[in-house]
Amino acid sequence: SISQLKSGTAYEILYFSDFAWPHDEVDTNDFAALTKYEWKIRPGQTGVRIPQWKYLVAGPDTIRRSRKIIEDSNNPGGTNWGSGLLMALNGNPRPDVIFFMTDGNKSDALTWVQEVTNANSRGKRAVIHTTAMMEPDAADDLADLAARNRGKFTVVLANGQVMQGADFFKRRDG
């Protein structure tokens, strides 16, 4: 996906598990670095300091570096949607578009859908597109998150087939 970015596009890739971090600032294979960067947020929690992150500018070198980081990454931990999404919305300036991809498992998903939508409604609104990767357990919640934030929902099945949300639901429910 990042190979498709046009040169000059500002971007950042935020990993998330129990907390979120910029892909180019913390080595996921270095447990001590992850532990040092760690921060936590739970649904309904206020006053949490969400770390700042910086945009990268797409070009051959930055894209190559990002791809290498992704290929070499290890993503330990859980599936806390809120940490990644709230960190993304905390960008300065706020991103125009967020592409939220998850394994499709969920942890407090419904609560995070509402909290993220509320956070996104303050100030400039980002479009949030969602993708369930191989585990469509959270398909309904991901579709709801996308719909509430002017985005689209997509599923990538275990066999690599990509389905638009409406087609996935027709097949699942039909």
Side-chain angles (χ1 to χ4, degrees):
S1 296
I2 63 166
S3 295
Q4 303 300 313
L5 289 173
K6 292 181 181 176
S7 188
T9 300
Y11 76 98
E12 179 57 87
I13 299 164
L14 301 175
Y15 287 144
F16 69 97
S17 61
D18 295 321
F19 61 98
W21 62 95
H23 82 295
D24 59 323
E25 289 186 28
V26 182
D27 181 354
T28 61
N29 295 299
D30 181 344
F31 184 74
L34 275 171
T35 302
K36 184 178 178 185
Y37 192 88
E38 185 174 0
W39 62 283
K40 299 277 186 168
I41 190 166
R42 293 182 312 276
Q45 188 176 10
T46 59
V48 173
R49 186 193 68 76
I50 300 174
Q52 291 292 303
W53 51 272
K54 297 178 200 142
Y55 286 98
L56 302 172
V57 178
D61 291 338
T62 55
I63 295 297
R64 187 173 19 262
R65 182 170 174 247
S66 289
R67 286 184 57 140
K68 175 81 171 127
I69 293 168
I70 292 166
E71 290 167 4
D72 294 344
S73 289
N74 173 30
N75 192 355
T79 307
N80 179 345
W81 294 8
S83 66
L85 288 162
L86 293 175
M87 189 176 199
L89 289 171
N90 198 39
N92 185 18
R94 180 173 276 185
D96 296 323
V97 180
I98 297 169
F99 294 93
F100 180 67
M101 296 183 280
T102 180
D103 59 13
N105 291 317
K106 58 184 182 176
S107 173
D108 294 323
L110 188 57
T111 305
W112 283 125
V113 168
Q114 187 59 48
E115 288 202 29
V116 168
T117 301
N118 288 346
N120 195 22
S121 68
R122 294 187 288 275
K124 174 187 158 192
R125 288 193 68 198
V127 173
I128 302 176
H129 297 293
T130 61
T131 302
M133 305 292 287
M134 299 189 281
E135 293 290 336
D137 178 46
D140 294 308
D141 298 314
L142 287 166
D144 187 27
L145 177 63
R148 290 187 191 196
N149 292 279
R150 302 175 296 143
K152 294 180 180 171
F153 169 61
T154 306
V155 177
V156 178
L157 300 174
N159 66 5
Q161 180 184 4
V162 178
M163 298 184 78
Q164 296 306 310
D167 295 333
F168 170 79
F169 290 121
K170 283 181 200 171
R171 184 173 126 179
R172 182 191 75 179
D173 300 337

